[in-house]
Structure formats: structure tokens, C-alpha cells
Amino acid sequence: MKVQTSITHIDKDGHPVIHGMALARLVRDHSFVESIFLILQGRLPEAPEQKMFDALLTAAIDHGPGTASGQTSRITASAKNSMHTSLAAGILAMGERHGSAIEPAMSFFYEHVHEDPAALIGMLKEQKVRIPGFGHAVLTHDHRKDMLYAVAKETGFYGKHCLFAESIFEALNKVSSKVLPMNVDGAMGSILCDMGFDIKLARGIFIIARMPGLVGQVYEEMTNDVGIRRMAEEDITYTP
Ligand SMILES: CC(C)(COP(=O)(O)OP(=O)(O)OC[C@H]1O[C@@H](n2cnc3c(N)ncnc32)[C@H](O)[C@@H]1OP(=O)(O)O)[C@@H](O)C(=O)NCCC(=O)NCCS
């Protein structure tokens, strides 16, 4: 198998080099967040980028056992599966309603940023299209958006995509039957657009961010070992 890569190389003395930088230097002088940025972008972040990227990863680190990925990881662990099987199950539970809306959200912001929000929402409402990055199953306000936008303003990454996302929020909530907050995918997605990230990285960035949370949840499930989890019989209705 022939592979061409610019990411990692092991030099003739056995030293790993990442995007031209010795791993030893990364270990000694840089943080994990800077190293993730280097892997994804091919260069170390500037100070404001580092702060923003760190905030993005931190904001999505965990959102409790009620989420689809949290529940699925825990159920899988409760059936006595390994750490890696339980994590993989959690990742596979991510979809466009949880954990993966960040990619379509970025796509939506990049594509429509120069359009009139009210007219766009009016047209999409008629077509019954759900806007990725908005709405939440249990929250009417997602505080993670406020936290991230505060850092975006401080670091200079509150740009046209964040402004557009805010105006989409306004337009959407004028016509919606239910309060639809800008959720973490919408906030992260709009900031990643203002940072110039490629859409293809979006889901990967969310997974990187959520991994510590899922590892912690699986570990807790294994340690507490409350037995196998299953739906309560009273929640199941048989309809032959
Ligand atoms: C997250 C989500 C699944 C939560 O759904 P929910 O709270 O159970 O909402 P419901 O499915 O009951 O929908 C309630 C109403 O709001 C509308 N709605 C919900 N989210 C919407 C969105 N993002 N854009 C437009 N309308 C939306 C529904 O069409 C429905 O309208 P109706 O009553 O006129 O038929 C939903 O908001 C959604 O699909 N969002 C987009 C994907 C996303 O951002 N996911 C990441 C979540 S963190």
C-alpha cells in the first residue's frame, strides 16, 4: 500500500515529526489543544486561535447521560462490553439530531451567509426544512452558545457567520411554534466558519471534543456497575 502524507513521519533515528515539527518539541513546549490544531490545520495556532479552539473543544466536552451518545455508551458498557466498544457505540449514536449537526450547520452558514435571513427562513419553513444548529430536545436556551460567543468576541472570531447565525435565530423564532435556541452545533459551526475551517473536519472536531466525556461516562458505568440497563417494561407497548 502506498500512502502520501504530510502529517506524521518517523525519521531515520526513530523520532516522530508532525507537520515538520519534532514531537519532542510539541511535548516540551506546546499543549494538547495546540497539537490537535497542528494535526488538523498543518500549522500551530496563533494565540487567539488557540484560545478559541480550546474553548470550542471544552464547550462540547460532555452533556450528560441523557444524550444519545452518552446513553448508548452507557447501555453498551452495562452489557459488559469493553471501553473501546462502548465508545464506538456512542460515536455511532451521533447523528444530525445529536452530535453531527455541526457539519450541515457549517454548510448552511457558508452557503447562505449573504442571503436575507427572513426571506430564507420563510422559504425553508414552507419546505418544512429544519435548520441545522437550532432547536434542542430539552433546552429553551443553550448557555454554551453564550460562552462560546463571548470568547469569539474576545478573540476576534465573531465574524459574519456568527452574525448571520444570530439573525437566523431571530428570524426562525419569529415563525416557529416552539422556542428554538441556537444550540452548541450552531454556535461551534458558525465560529468554525469564521475561523475558516473546512466543513469536512466538523464532525471530527465534535468527536474529539466529546471523547473525554464519553470515556468518563463509560468508566463511571463500569465502576458503579449497576447491572445491565434496559427499557422499563411499562414503557413498552405491544401492538400486534
Ligand atoms: C434538536 C431537535 C431534534 C429537537 O427536536 P424537538 O425539540 O423534539 O422538536 P420537535 O421535533 O418536537 O419539533 C417541534 C417544532 O419545531 C420545529 N423545529 C424543530 N427544530 C427545528 C429547526 N432546527 N428548524 C426549523 N424548525 C424546527 C419542528 O418542525 C416542529 O414544528 P411544528 O410544530 O410546526 O411541526 C430539533 O430541534 C432539530 O432537528 N434541530 C436541527 C438539528 C440540530 O441542530 N441538532 C443538534 C441538536 S444539539
Side-chain angles (χ1 to χ4, degrees):
M1 184 174 83
K2 294 206 184 298
V3 176
Q4 194 176 325
T5 181
S6 59
I7 305 173
T8 303
H9 166 66
I10 317 290
D11 75 13
K12 60 179 177 13
D13 298 321
H15 296 294
V17 177
I18 299 192
H19 280 297
M21 175 167 287
L23 182 64
R25 247 191 83 195
L26 280 178
V27 169
R28 197 186 60 223
D29 299 332
H30 298 281
S31 68
F32 188 45
V33 167
E34 286 175 280
S35 304
I36 296 169
F37 192 99
L38 173 67
I39 288 271
L40 302 183
Q41 297 293 69
R43 63 175 175 84
L44 284 170
E46 302 288 335
E49 286 174 315
Q50 182 185 341
K51 179 154 191 187
M52 190 70 251
F53 199 56
D54 198 346
L56 288 168
L57 296 180
T58 305
I61 195 164
D62 195 41
H63 215 218
T67 58
S69 58
Q71 263 186 62
T72 306
S73 285
R74 281 178 178 266
I75 291 169
T76 308
S78 83
K80 281 279 179 206
N81 281 293
S82 66
M83 174 65 81
H84 73 273
T85 304
S86 307
L87 292 178
I91 293 172
L92 292 176
M94 291 178 186
E96 290 194 2
R97 290 180 178 161
H98 160 71
S100 282
I102 185 169
E103 182 181 308
M106 281 183 77
S107 185
F108 179 82
F109 298 141
Y110 272 140
E111 183 182 344
H112 298 290
V113 67
H114 297 295
E115 293 177 36
D116 174 58
L120 180 63
I121 289 299
M123 185 185 77
L124 295 175
K125 169 99 178 153
E126 266 179 35
Q127 295 169 5
K128 296 191 185 306
V129 171
R130 286 186 180 220
I131 316 300
F134 298 86
H136 199 279
V138 294
L139 300 177
T140 51
H141 185 88
D142 193 333
H143 293 285
R144 295 170 295 180
K145 174 243 166 194
D146 304 332
M147 300 167 202
L148 286 173
Y149 273 17
V151 179
K153 284 174 184 165
E154 190 188 322
T155 52
F157 291 111
Y158 184 86
K160 65 181 179 187
H161 298 95
C162 291
L163 275 166
F164 179 68
E166 300 246 54
S167 59
I168 286 292
F169 165 77
E170 297 292 334
L172 189 56
N173 281 278
K174 278 193 185 127
V175 298
S176 169
S177 61
K178 173 181 178 185
V179 179
L180 298 174
M182 189 193 307
N183 58 45
V184 74
D185 299 67
M188 288 177 77
S190 52
I191 293 169
L192 286 169
C193 287
D194 279 328
M195 293 179 84
F197 270 84
D198 189 333
I199 291 168
K200 294 197 283 298
L201 284 169
R203 288 183 168 140
I205 291 171
F206 190 89
I207 291 169
I208 292 168
R210 186 51 60 90
M211 270 309 95
L214 291 186
V215 171
Q217 293 207 43
V218 170
Y219 177 62
E220 186 175 67
E221 191 70 27
M222 289 169 159
T223 309
N224 291 351
D225 197 15
V226 294
I228 190 154
R229 295 192 186 272
R230 55 173 288 148
M231 283 182 90
E233 284 304 311
E234 60 266 28
D235 287 341
I236 302 170
T237 306
Y238 178 52
T239 54

